[in-house]
Amino acid sequence: MTDNNYLQVDYLVKYFGDDRAVDGISFGIPEGKFLTLLGPSGCGKTTTLMCIAGLHKPDAGEIRIGADPVTSMEKSINIAPEKRNIGMVFQSYAIWPHMDVTQNVAYPLEIRNMAQSEIDDRVAEALKIVGLTDMADKNATQLSGGQQQRAALARAMVFRPRLLLFDEPLSNLDLKLREQMRVELKRIQHEIGITSIYVTHDQAEALVMSDEIIVMSKGNIEQSGGPHAIYARPVNKFVSDFIGVANLTEGRIVGNGGAGTGTIEIAQGGEDVQLPCLLADGLAEGDDAYLSVRPENVNASRKPVDGPRIEGEVIQSVFLGNCLDCRVKWGEFEWKVLAHSRERLRVGEKVYVSLDPDHTLAVKP
Amino acid sequence: MSFVEITKLVKSFGPEVAVAGIDLSVEQGEFVTLLGPSGCGKTTTLRCIAGLEHPDSGDIQIEGDYVTSATNDVFLTPEERNLGMVFQSYAVWPHMTVFDNVAYGLRIRRETRAAIKEKTTKALNLVGLGHLAERYATKLSGGQRQRVALARAIVYNPKVVLFDEPLSNLDAKLREQMRIELTRLQHDVGITSIYVTHDQTEALVMSDRVVVMDKGVIQQIGDPETIYAEPTNAFVANFIGVANLMEGKLLGHDGELTEIEIPLGDGSAPIRLRATGAEGAPVDAKIILSIRPEDILLHLEKPADASNLIEGEVIDTVYLGNFLDCQVQVGPHEVGVQIDHFEELDLGQKVYLSFTPDHGLCLTE
Amino acid sequence: MTTDTASPHIDVAPPRGWRTWFTQENLITTVVGIIVAVAVFLPLIALVINSFLVLDDLGFDTEWGLQNYREVFQGRVIRKALVNTALISTGCTILATLLGVSLAWVNARTNCPFREQLEPFNLIPFFLSPFVGAIAWHNLASPKVGLLNNMAKSIFGISFPLFNVNNLWGVIWVTGIFFAPLVYLFVVGSLRRMDPSLEDSARTTGAGLLRTTMTITLPLVTPAILSGAIIVFVTTAGEFGVPFKLSAPFGWETLTTQIFTKAVGDDANHYLGAAMSMVVGVVTAFFIWIQHRIIAPRAYTTVTGKGFRPNLIDLGGWKWLAFGYNVFYVCVAVILPIICLLFVSLHKIWSGSVIWSELTFWNYQKVLFFWWPESIDAATNGIINSFILAFGGASIAMVLAIIVSYMIHRTKGFGSKMLDFLSVIPIGFPGIVLAMGVLVTYIKTPIYATLWILLLGYITRFFPYGQRNISSIMMAVSEELDQSSRMAGASWLTTLRRITIPLLKPGIFAGWILLFVIFLRELSISIILYSVGTETLSVGVYYLSNFENEPMTAALSIAQTVALLICVVIFRKVAGKEALTA
């Protein structure tokens, strides 16, 4: 919580009936950055966004943009959404079907009683940025999903709002288009430099687009940080499981090598195995912890390897084109292994599993 | 004579030709997938097999008997063909219980009460829904409904089970799980299956053989590994997985390898590369080089071995957690490279790409 | 952290958050909500209270008691009327359901020839006045002056009357053919929207065509059939015009005709009328409750997959029989009645057969030329009043409908649920019942005997119809369309004006025309609430039928029918072909 944060949310609480959808969270974001609220459905991410937008009224807490509080329940301030000067892009695009693209984008400027010449200039500029110049006269209903989303973005930014909010804007698009739009959206945000808050349940989207990610669950913040930090160094089981795919198994810290390294002991199939690992902050010797390692950092080979011996049997080998998605059974535990497709591991083969210590983590339960 | 034999099947809707004369054989117990973009004719082909569409011409034989034959003027109605079918919308009858849904086909076949009870229970147990037999279909989740539909289609031991994009209404996680489960079940029951999908991963994971279709015509038939590693044309290369496609011309053959030249446009010298494929093609023939992103190595410094080397500039990077997708500008081409570790790359940075000749495939149109 | 507390917006710190309640939308929607609640509840409460007041023998004083109800269930006349009402409703429901379901199936699921051209004709009776239908059938098939009977006599020499509609059977026949479109509308949509793979999967499982129809298709539309049947039952129980014209003069009274005699005229007893209205209202409200709470939620939501087109059944040679059946329906429900009325209206005196040499427009002059001194006031007043009421009523009701729909679908909490409930209630009470309530509520106020009381009755009873038109669109239109306007900087009212209402335009037009049609033909509310000078079109028809002659009645009926048919054409243009059936 620092003063140089452009948007600051403090102790935000929102109930739906008896359900505490947002449980007193605080966070901030510096000007011009792209922040993603990531979490499963029902984690409170959309509710938080709606409170920032002013479309929901929180039960407690304060939201400040620049120096102005837009919501402060203690001071009984809750500025109407239209007076907040915030742009928003919705999941359903929300392009008004009774207007053409230009009318849609011009609308916020008309509301602000701008001169027609300036409206024309700004609309043209916004459409150019999102690549819809050719579609200016098209009716909204004639646009494809991706084009509608571009129009929605143009409309949200044309009045140069203080913040841009995105509520799962890509989730209605099909996979290919979604991947393409992620990159495009990120590029546009960089270009216009408006501070943005993005809500999604799609972890890949969050990794690709964000400067900063806040992982939420049950109304609380689980972890925040840059995409690489979140993916490579999750702090607890929830984050490890939710972001990407992880091999997660219960264990105990049995050694501390200093500088954040240590040893974790896991037990399966009657064997105890001690593995060198990196420790999440706050874990000490003797603590219960989870081993977390990504499938691409697990190696399965037909020959024995140095170090801790984990011997198992391939029980599934699924060809995905660019890689092989394998399961190696070791005691009760199934190692998820992502192997190169040219390795051709077959079901029933005996293999030796080894882990890269630099990517082996001990995380909090 | 194969178990299912389709010859010269043609079906048009008005002026639009949906299926333009395809031939296909399916062996007993085989799992064959018809894969292609929407409108490629895959669903129409399936519905012709089911008897839900009346083909314009062509024959379909199942177990040696004609079910549709324009030449012999045979057309069996769907109920006379003894097939099972699973639909995209599940089509579980909402006014019946799970048990009644599954037992329907047996009752029509006038099986005894005891046999109905036994077979239905067995089928429900097979799909893991034994405990929900008395539930109404409206009270089930999407995944459960699809299992009911599956049990209903296999319970009376039909000759062939037809699947019409059965997983496309499910969310991503459930879909992945159901793929594996369906494959396992099909192997256990050993029933001949024809599966329609537009999802290439689904096709690769599940099938014994994949039939790639486009514009009503079969583009390639083969097992998943072959389809992925040795596509016969640019459409298949790009539809299955991701491929970098670059046009060039053939310079000559050198043993098993093919020497090619890729022009880089005005002012730049063309690059000369060694790859495989296009064995029979003459010198100067037009070829398309296809390389998978995961088969390209990225170097920050110019490597000592300068063969098969391509120079380029980083124009975009996308961090996806388990790998980094990097777009490199090479002359007029944008080449996608997949790096399996995290690397700080600046936009505009100069990089070197290389690949082993085995991984580059020359396609001739 | 140092927060900037020197923001210019704040001077005092009031108690937690109460100031944040006063917003445009909260104020406007609350006011409208209260108005609707008062309009709906007041007449019903008045009805309950009045039904327990018993008039003494002199007719001056009242006291509390159950005597009115005793009279309803034990009094000779009223008890018989109660039985007749039950018989008519049951008979009409059976007939309308058979007609509606079979016609819907023929149109939605078979290759019956010209079915697309026939469909709009199947729906026409939905827009016309059943009262006029009764007048037409009276002239077609009453024993003495029936055109069909006279034709049978002159052509085939049949001397006894072939048809007789002046009894319960006649009422069942006319209401049955006129309410069949209600069932048709429920069923045809359900048949068309059904996911074809539900039937395809039965076929691939091994079921033949007939078996698939009987075990899959029909059970899936059963909730729609039941919904349609209940609506027909309730509508018939509240129908006044048809029994009043066809059976009441011949000794077959119903509860509605009895309520009418207790509301106006020499024998008026509002308290007894209120009690009878209560009986009808409780029964109809109960059935509507069943339909809403038990049957409608069971309608199978039919998700559509890809390649969506309903399976059509090839009837082979039988398709011409289906075609003939459909044409027969259109003839008896639309064409014959209109032709008959046309002929009758062109005679000065109607004796049961067409006399070509005596055709004249005299009757039309009498009932339409309001500037002409010899015109009949009740008819000409009726025309003017009805257009005023239809125009004003439809407009006001749609404004209410928009705001009420907005509250139901876009706000949460008590107000939303309450309004959802309120907008169902008027549907549960037949017009004549609600009119009785309005009458006893406002009889001692200045609005009695003015057009205002009619307007109030119309709007209270029928605004839910407009509200449903709006609601169905509002549910399909994402709330995010409104929210994005707020985010763009527009206030609630601006958003309503520039985004919400334009988006709802098709629904608003369709709803407006539907209400215009309903108000233009309205009889059972008007007949209770009108007085001299505030006659409506249908009251005019009633007046002519009772105090003048059949040709004049027919002339005004034709005028009304033409106006309604024009509305039907506009409705289809504006709302699209599928507005009612999809």
Side-chain angles (χ1 to χ4, degrees):
Chain A
M1 276 183 250
T2 48
D3 267 342
N4 62 20
N5 278 344
Y6 184 66
L7 169 78
Q8 183 66 45
V9 173
D10 284 322
Y11 309 110
L12 192 72
V13 175
K14 171 74 184 170
Y15 282 92
F16 288 119
D18 289 336
D19 180 28
R20 210 169 155 100
V22 177
D23 195 5
I25 64 170
S26 305
F27 62 89
I29 173 178
E31 188 155 15
K33 293 291 182 191
F34 195 111
L35 172 77
T36 297
L37 302 177
L38 172 67
S41 65
C43 75
K45 55 187 192 305
T46 299
T47 309
T48 306
L49 196 78
M50 289 297 189
C51 288
I52 296 172
L55 295 168
H56 282 353
K57 194 167 78 171
D59 293 302
E62 185 170 280
I63 299 167
R64 190 162 56 73
I65 302 173
D68 311 326
V70 289
T71 295
S72 172
M73 294 323 285
E74 238 162 57
K75 294 173 197 151
S76 196
I77 296 172
N78 191 34
I79 294 178
E82 65 267 23
K83 298 202 180 105
R84 296 189 175 203
N85 205 17
I86 293 176
M88 186 156 176
V89 180
F90 292 83
Q91 183 172 18
S92 63
Y93 325 135
I95 287 295
W96 300 309
H98 60 298
M99 302 181 182
D100 66 21
V101 172
T102 302
Q103 287 169 328
N104 263 282
V105 179
Y107 182 86
L109 304 176
E110 283 169 18
I111 295 286
R112 287 170 175 74
N113 296 320
M114 279 193 188
Q116 192 57 44
S117 62
E118 187 169 4
I119 292 180
D120 294 344
D121 291 349
R122 287 237 207 150
V123 170
E125 187 198 342
L127 287 178
K128 191 165 161 246
I129 291 175
V130 299
L132 279 186
T133 308
D134 298 341
M135 300 284 170
D137 302 327
K138 285 264 162 53
N139 219 310
T141 44
Q142 292 167 286
L143 301 184
S144 69
Q147 288 169 336
Q148 288 197 38
Q149 201 51 285
R150 283 163 203 263
L153 178 60
R155 187 179 66 192
M157 70 186 193
V158 71
F159 57 98
R160 294 177 194 152
R162 297 191 287 180
L163 277 182
L164 266 179
L165 307 182
F166 296 88
D167 184 16
E168 311 218 16
L170 304 185
S171 58
N172 279 356
L173 304 178
D174 68 37
L175 189 69
K176 285 229 159 167
L177 194 57
R178 191 154 68 219
E179 285 177 1
Q180 188 191 330
M181 282 296 290
R182 281 175 194 161
V183 180
E184 184 89 340
L185 255 178
K186 173 79 185 150
R187 177 187 67 75
I188 293 170
Q189 195 268 339
H190 263 286
E191 198 173 319
I192 58 178
I194 299 178
T195 314
S196 300
I197 303 175
Y198 192 96
V199 158
T200 183
H201 65 272
D202 180 337
Q203 43 104 11
E205 216 162 279
L207 291 175
V208 169
M209 303 178 70
S210 325
D211 294 316
E212 193 87 4
I213 297 174
I214 291 179
V215 185
M216 292 181 68
S217 153
K218 294 178 189 153
N220 286 301
I221 294 178
E222 296 283 339
Q223 186 175 359
S224 58
H228 184 56
I230 295 264
Y231 184 81
R233 294 299 306 268
V235 297
N236 60 28
K237 182 171 172 253
F238 176 82
V239 177
S240 170
D241 198 27
F242 190 74
I243 312 286
V245 182
N247 288 291
L248 276 169
T249 184
E250 272 180 88
R252 206 160 52 86
I253 310 293
V254 293
N256 193 333
T261 65
T263 309
I264 185 168
E265 183 180 84
I266 54 173
Q268 278 298 335
E271 291 177 77
D272 290 346
V273 179
Q274 298 195 339
L275 297 162
C277 64
L278 303 175
L279 298 182
D281 279 349
L283 278 179
E285 200 170 328
D287 287 352
D288 285 333
Y290 268 81
L291 170 79
S292 159
V293 56
R294 304 283 178 200
E296 65 269 23
N297 296 321
V298 181
N299 189 33
S301 69
R302 298 190 175 91
K303 297 195 188 75
V305 285
D306 296 340
R309 219 172 122 93
I310 305 173
E311 200 181 331
E313 185 191 324
V314 179
I315 56 163
Q316 178 190 311
S317 173
V318 174
F319 179 67
L320 293 174
N322 56 352
C323 58
L324 216 50
D325 180 12
C326 302
R327 297 279 184 283
V328 177
K329 196 162 172 67
W330 174 61
E332 291 295 299
F333 189 68
E334 289 179 13
W335 290 98
K336 295 169 201 145
V337 183
L338 216 54
H340 200 282
S341 58
R342 295 181 204 270
E343 287 192 26
R344 310 226 160 172
L345 291 173
R346 298 287 173 208
V347 171
E349 277 190 286
K350 286 263 180 285
V351 290
Y352 298 90
V353 172
S354 60
L355 313 177
D356 177 357
D358 288 344
H359 294 108
T360 306
L361 310 175
V363 299
K364 290 183 195 166
Chain B
M1 171 64 61
S2 300
F3 194 68
V4 179
E5 191 81 45
I6 301 173
T7 29
K8 298 199 178 61
L9 188 74
V10 177
K11 171 75 189 174
S12 310
F13 294 107
E16 180 199 344
V17 181
V19 178
I22 66 166
D23 296 297
L24 178 67
S25 317
V26 179
E27 301 301 328
Q28 185 152 22
E30 202 182 10
F31 194 113
V32 169
T33 299
L34 307 181
L35 172 69
S38 65
C40 76
K42 54 190 192 304
T43 298
T44 309
T45 307
L46 194 78
R47 289 175 66 85
C48 285
I49 301 173
L52 295 168
E53 298 289 352
H54 208 132
D56 301 335
S57 69
D59 298 349
I60 300 173
Q61 283 167 279
I62 298 175
E63 235 181 345
D65 300 326
Y66 284 102
V67 294
T68 292
S69 171
T71 40
N72 303 332
D73 197 22
V74 174
F75 182 81
L76 297 191
T77 58
E79 65 268 22
E80 291 166 336
R81 300 188 179 201
N82 197 19
L83 307 173
M85 187 157 175
V86 181
F87 293 82
Q88 180 177 27
S89 60
Y90 323 136
V92 171
W93 302 309
H95 62 297
M96 298 182 185
T97 62
V98 168
F99 186 92
D100 290 338
N101 261 282
V102 177
Y104 189 82
L106 298 171
R107 293 199 172 122
I108 283 168
R109 285 168 178 73
R110 298 184 188 285
E111 304 237 0
T112 62
R113 210 170 239 283
I116 290 173
K117 173 92 182 150
E118 189 203 322
K119 289 184 182 175
T120 305
T121 311
K122 196 177 146 212
L124 282 174
N125 286 336
L126 204 58
V127 298
L129 287 183
H131 58 297
L132 296 179
E134 295 313 315
R135 195 74 70 88
Y136 269 86
T138 41
K139 300 266 190 303
L140 300 181
S141 69
Q144 288 170 333
R145 282 185 207 201
Q146 202 50 288
R147 282 163 216 251
V148 174
L150 182 64
R152 187 176 68 188
I154 60 173
V155 68
Y156 47 86
N157 201 18
K159 292 178 186 166
V160 183
V161 180
L162 309 174
F163 295 90
D164 185 11
E165 310 217 16
L167 304 186
S168 59
N169 279 358
L170 304 178
D171 66 42
K173 283 228 160 168
L174 195 58
R175 194 155 61 219
E176 270 177 42
Q177 187 193 332
M178 286 291 287
R179 277 176 199 158
I180 308 277
E181 210 166 301
L182 242 171
T183 321
R184 204 172 284 170
L185 196 79
Q186 195 268 338
H187 277 290
D188 290 351
V189 181
I191 211 160
T192 312
S193 306
I194 303 177
Y195 191 100
V196 158
T197 183
H198 65 272
D199 180 336
Q200 44 114 356
T201 315
E202 217 162 280
L204 291 178
V205 170
M206 303 177 70
S207 328
D208 294 321
R209 278 195 303 152
V210 180
V211 178
V212 186
M213 291 181 68
D214 187 37
K215 298 181 181 130
V217 177
I218 294 178
Q219 303 287 330
Q220 188 173 1
I221 305 183
D223 62 67
E225 279 88 351
T226 311
I227 294 268
Y228 188 81
E230 295 158 30
T232 52
N233 61 35
F235 173 81
V236 177
N238 208 23
F239 192 77
I240 317 283
V242 182
N244 292 297
L245 299 174
M246 289 184 274
E247 276 187 31
K249 77 175 177 191
L250 194 131
L251 296 179
H253 297 283
D254 175 13
E256 296 201 335
L257 299 183
T258 311
E259 297 203 24
I260 54 168
E261 187 179 84
I262 309 280
L264 292 185
D266 305 334
S268 312
I271 40 173
R272 301 180 68 157
L273 300 165
R274 289 152 77 85
T276 54
E279 284 85 6
V283 171
D284 279 350
K286 203 178 122 191
I287 54 98
I288 295 170
L289 174 67
S290 157
I291 329 172
R292 302 280 179 197
E294 68 271 19
D295 288 333
I296 300 179
L297 295 172
L298 182 138
H299 315 271
L300 301 179
E301 308 289 339
K302 191 166 187 169
D305 172 21
S307 68
N308 262 8
L309 202 64
I310 307 171
E311 267 184 52
E313 236 177 52
V314 176
I315 51 169
D316 200 5
T317 61
V318 173
Y319 178 62
L320 292 164
N322 51 354
F323 49 78
L324 188 70
D325 248 342
C326 178
Q327 294 292 317
V328 177
Q329 189 80 47
V330 178
H333 303 290
E334 282 184 19
V335 178
V337 183
Q338 205 178 76
I339 314 170
D340 62 0
H341 55 274
F342 186 71
E343 184 115 50
E344 287 287 352
L345 291 170
D346 296 325
L347 299 190
Q349 189 176 348
K350 194 168 199 181
V351 292
Y352 300 87
L353 310 177
S354 69
F355 63 95
T356 64
D358 281 356
H359 292 160
L361 184 67
C362 297
L363 306 168
T364 50
E365 283 300 77
Chain C
M1 195 190 97
T2 55
T3 359
D4 187 0
T5 45
S7 180
H9 313 289
I10 321 150
D11 3 296
V12 284
R16 289 189 146 249
W18 64 272
R19 251 186 358 191
T20 57
W21 186 86
F22 285 96
T23 57
Q24 277 175 347
E25 66 258 50
N26 284 351
L27 287 173
I28 293 175
T29 51
T30 307
V31 169
V32 170
I34 291 170
I35 291 173
V36 171
V38 169
V40 171
F41 276 131
L42 223 48
L44 294 181
I45 292 169
L47 207 57
V48 175
I49 293 173
N50 278 278
S51 73
F52 290 107
L53 288 173
V54 182
L55 205 60
D56 64 15
D57 291 339
L58 294 171
F60 291 115
D61 248 336
T62 57
E63 58 186 16
W64 297 98
L66 293 170
Q67 185 55 37
N68 292 331
Y69 287 98
R70 233 169 268 140
E71 180 74 24
V72 172
F73 291 106
Q74 290 168 358
R76 200 181 48 82
V77 181
I78 304 180
R79 197 182 56 194
K80 194 177 161 221
L82 186 70
V83 172
N84 286 343
T85 299
L87 288 176
I88 289 172
S89 293
T90 310
C92 167
T93 304
I94 293 169
L95 178 62
T97 305
L98 287 177
L99 283 170
V101 173
S102 55
L103 288 171
W105 185 75
V106 164
N107 274 270
R109 283 310 183 79
T110 70
N111 63 339
C112 167
F114 305 110
R115 55 187 188 284
E116 275 162 37
Q117 287 78 9
L118 281 171
E119 172 143 81
F121 290 96
N122 287 338
L123 296 176
I124 286 179
F126 176 77
F127 292 94
L128 299 185
S129 162
F131 181 43
V132 167
I135 292 167
W137 271 96
H138 177 77
N139 287 308
L140 274 168
S142 74
K144 282 182 196 145
V145 294
L147 185 63
L148 291 178
N149 287 327
N150 279 318
M151 280 167 75
K153 194 190 275 174
S154 59
I155 297 171
F156 303 110
I158 300 170
S159 56
F160 58 92
L162 196 57
F163 305 104
N164 181 5
V165 289
N166 295 127
N167 51 36
L168 290 186
W169 295 109
V171 178
I172 289 173
W173 169 247
V174 173
T175 49
I177 57 177
F178 267 80
F179 295 150
L182 284 172
V183 180
Y184 181 94
L185 285 173
F186 271 95
V187 177
V188 84
S190 194
L191 279 174
R192 289 215 173 107
R193 278 193 311 260
M194 188 185 298
D195 180 354
S197 62
L198 286 167
E199 288 164 324
D200 285 350
S201 54
R203 299 297 300 280
T204 55
T205 305
L209 203 61
L210 187 67
R211 184 151 188 171
T212 303
T213 305
M214 299 312 289
T215 59
I216 305 293
T217 316
L218 275 181
L220 283 173
V221 293
T222 301
I225 296 175
L226 284 178
S227 281
I230 286 183
I231 300 289
V232 168
F233 186 89
V234 166
T235 313
T236 317
E239 172 59 33
F240 165 74
V242 180
F244 177 77
K245 175 75 194 174
L246 288 182
S247 67
F250 303 89
W252 306 92
E253 294 267 0
T254 64
L255 275 183
T256 48
T257 58
Q258 276 295 307
I259 291 172
F260 170 65
T261 60
K262 295 295 175 291
V264 295
D266 312 332
D267 197 17
N269 178 347
H270 294 161
Y271 310 102
L272 187 54
M276 278 191 278
S277 299
M278 283 295 295
V279 172
V280 179
V282 165
V283 172
T284 55
F286 173 71
F287 275 105
I288 291 292
W289 180 82
I290 299 251
Q291 194 264 330
H292 258 255
R293 293 288 137 158
I294 298 175
I295 294 171
R298 302 220 169 167
Y300 304 110
T301 37
T302 39
V303 192
T304 59
K306 60 180 176 180
F308 175 61
R309 42 198 155 151
N311 296 323
L312 291 189
I313 291 171
D314 189 346
L315 290 178
W318 294 96
K319 69 182 180 186
W320 292 106
L321 185 74
F323 173 73
Y325 169 63
N326 200 332
V327 169
F328 170 76
Y329 172 72
V330 174
C331 278
V332 298
V334 183
I335 297 173
L336 270 184
I338 291 180
I339 291 177
C340 169
L341 284 179
L342 210 53
F343 277 126
V344 174
S345 70
L346 295 174
H347 289 76
K348 262 195 172 173
I349 300 157
W350 178 247
S351 56
S353 48
V354 181
I355 305 164
W356 296 96
S357 57
E358 291 191 0
L359 299 191
T360 166
F361 283 104
W362 165 256
N363 294 310
Y364 287 96
Q365 294 180 14
K366 284 285 272 188
V367 300
L368 295 181
F369 290 4
F370 55 87
W371 58 88
W372 192 40
E374 283 181 51
S375 68
I376 296 171
D377 287 346
T380 54
N381 280 344
I383 295 169
I384 295 165
N385 287 336
S386 268
F387 275 96
I388 292 172
L389 283 170
F391 194 88
S395 305
I396 296 171
M398 288 318 289
V399 170
L400 274 182
I402 292 167
I403 295 174
V404 168
S405 301
Y406 183 91
M407 286 191 73
I408 292 174
H409 298 290
R410 294 288 192 262
T411 62
K412 294 178 186 72
F414 179 72
S416 159
K417 287 201 189 85
M418 175 82 178
L419 273 181
D420 200 12
F421 176 64
L422 276 179
S423 59
V424 175
I425 288 186
I427 296 174
F429 294 90
I432 200 162
V433 172
L434 203 82
M436 218 36 225
V438 170
L439 181 72
V440 295
T441 310
Y442 299 102
I443 192 162
K444 299 205 174 92
T445 66
I447 71 164
Y448 179 67
T450 65
L451 279 181
W452 295 106
I453 194 165
L454 284 160
L455 195 68
L456 187 72
Y458 282 16
I459 293 173
T460 310
R461 172 68 181 86
F462 291 109
F463 89 90
Y465 290 60
Q467 182 256 322
R468 287 178 161 197
N469 258 289
I470 304 280
S471 283
S472 63
I473 297 189
M474 206 173 255
M475 275 192 280
V477 169
S478 160
E479 189 180 2
E480 294 180 348
L481 289 165
D482 297 349
Q483 291 181 340
S484 49
S485 168
R486 301 296 297 277
M487 297 312 295
S491 66
W492 183 75
L493 269 177
T494 309
T495 301
L496 199 63
R497 184 169 55 81
R498 292 203 47 180
I499 305 294
T500 318
I501 291 177
L503 283 174
L504 298 175
K505 220 187 257 165
I508 295 173
F509 272 138
W512 191 89
I513 294 174
L514 191 65
L515 289 181
F516 192 85
V517 164
I518 289 174
F519 293 166
L520 212 52
R521 68 170 193 221
E522 213 298 317
L523 173 65
S524 51
I525 293 177
S526 322
I527 201 78
I528 300 287
L529 298 179
Y530 90 99
S531 46
V532 177
T534 65
E535 295 92 345
T536 67
L537 246 178
S538 290
V539 171
V541 174
Y542 149 83
Y543 175 88
L544 297 174
S545 163
N546 253 27
F547 303 108
E548 298 287 340
N549 56 23
E550 285 300 315
M552 269 188 221
T553 313
L556 192 58
S557 300
I558 285 286
Q560 186 186 37
T561 304
V562 167
L564 290 172
L565 286 177
I566 291 170
C567 291
V568 176
V569 174
I570 296 173
F571 181 85
R572 278 175 66 82
K573 277 255 160 59
V574 171
K577 276 188 193 164
E578 315 221 317
L580 283 171
T581 54

